[in-house]
Amino acid sequence: MSYGEQQKKEIETIRERNITVKLSDADCDRLARICGEYGLTVGEMIENFVGDLVGGTYSNGSDERMYAKQWFERCWFGMFPEPTLLNHLICWGYDPEDYLDTLDNIETAVKEKEYLAEHPEEADEEAQYLDDDIAVWEEELKDMRADWKPEHEPDMDKEIEIIKKWVVDKNNLLDSFLCSNQNENQNENVNQELER
């Protein structure tokens, strides 16, 4: 796919997103003043910065991308990222959702084995392959964690929670347009009912 085709495909997905930031009143005033001075809305400024930071669908140019990346890498979070499992999976090109799905597959299979142990009359031919399936999935998880070198013995429950939170945040960002439209439609329906 050419760059133009890829960009056209990405442009089709542009829509409003809901992002919450924590700012002081003073910082809000400063941000509004800077944006107003240059004829931008706060949203437009953020759109442009994000586009440059991620080399996005739209960018202001190579220098802008370079400086946005340098800013990010100079901040404490860019200089010293924690060696979490989430960090490892993303850096090595794994989809964190695939990791969670594989964990879910194992958990489901273990529960099914326990159930069938209590109800052997319900076991079918596929039940005999549960141990093989679990072994394959455990090997997949092991492969995804290969070369992960946390500084200390990891608390895997905490690592999984970090991944789950990231997945929820990402999906909320992707779905924020749908939610805002649903909320707008619900508000319109309520207003129409009140007018009657």
Side-chain angles (χ1 to χ4, degrees):
M1 181 181 302
S2 72
Y3 172 76
E5 292 169 332
Q6 178 66 31
Q7 186 181 40
K8 184 178 179 183
K9 190 174 179 181
E10 289 181 13
I11 290 169
E12 292 171 3
T13 67
I14 292 176
R15 57 183 182 250
E16 289 183 8
R17 311 288 177 162
N18 293 323
I19 300 171
T20 303
V21 294
K22 295 179 182 178
L23 298 171
S24 69
D25 288 347
D27 283 348
C28 288
D29 183 63
R30 291 176 187 117
L31 181 59
R33 286 177 178 278
I34 287 173
C35 291
E37 185 178 345
Y38 293 94
L40 293 170
T41 65
V42 172
E44 289 169 334
M45 189 278 301
I46 292 171
E47 289 167 15
N48 278 273
F49 182 77
V50 169
D52 290 331
L53 179 63
V54 301
T57 304
Y58 290 113
S59 169
N60 293 295
S62 59
D63 285 351
E64 290 81 354
R65 290 190 300 271
M66 176 186 69
Y67 286 122
K69 186 173 174 66
Q70 284 179 357
W71 169 84
F72 189 89
E73 290 173 348
R74 288 290 302 154
C75 292
W76 64 269
F77 45 78
M79 292 177 77
F80 308 107
E82 290 185 47
T84 62
L85 180 55
L86 173 64
N87 168 275
H88 169 79
L89 293 173
I90 292 172
C91 288
W92 284 87
Y94 294 109
D95 184 343
E97 290 180 84
D98 288 345
Y99 190 89
L100 295 179
D101 290 342
T102 305
L103 281 176
D104 287 342
N105 290 342
I106 293 170
E107 184 178 332
T108 301
V110 167
K111 287 179 182 176
E112 189 173 344
K113 275 182 60 176
E114 290 169 357
Y115 177 83
L116 292 175
E118 295 172 8
H119 305 87
E121 69 281 1
E122 295 184 32
D124 59 12
E125 289 181 22
E126 291 184 23
Q128 64 184 340
Y129 299 110
L130 286 174
D131 286 330
D132 293 338
D133 290 341
I134 291 170
V136 167
W137 291 321
E138 286 176 342
E139 191 62 32
E140 286 177 14
L141 292 178
K142 184 179 174 186
D143 288 345
M144 286 188 228
R145 289 189 307 262
D147 298 321
W148 177 42
K149 295 180 176 44
E151 294 173 2
H152 308 287
E153 185 65 31
D155 176 346
M156 290 308 291
D157 289 337
K158 181 180 175 188
E159 296 294 333
I160 299 308
E161 284 307 310
I162 291 170
I163 295 171
K164 286 180 179 178
K165 182 183 180 319
W166 178 86
V167 169
V168 167
D169 287 348
K170 182 186 103 175
N171 289 335
N172 285 342
L173 184 60
L174 290 170
D175 295 339
S176 63
F177 173 77
L178 300 175
C179 293
S180 67
N181 276 353
Q182 289 171 349
N183 290 340
E184 286 174 19
N185 291 338
Q186 287 172 351
N187 290 341
E188 281 181 31
N189 292 339
V190 168
N191 289 336
Q192 289 171 357
E193 288 297 319
L194 291 174
E195 290 172 2
R196 291 183 188 174

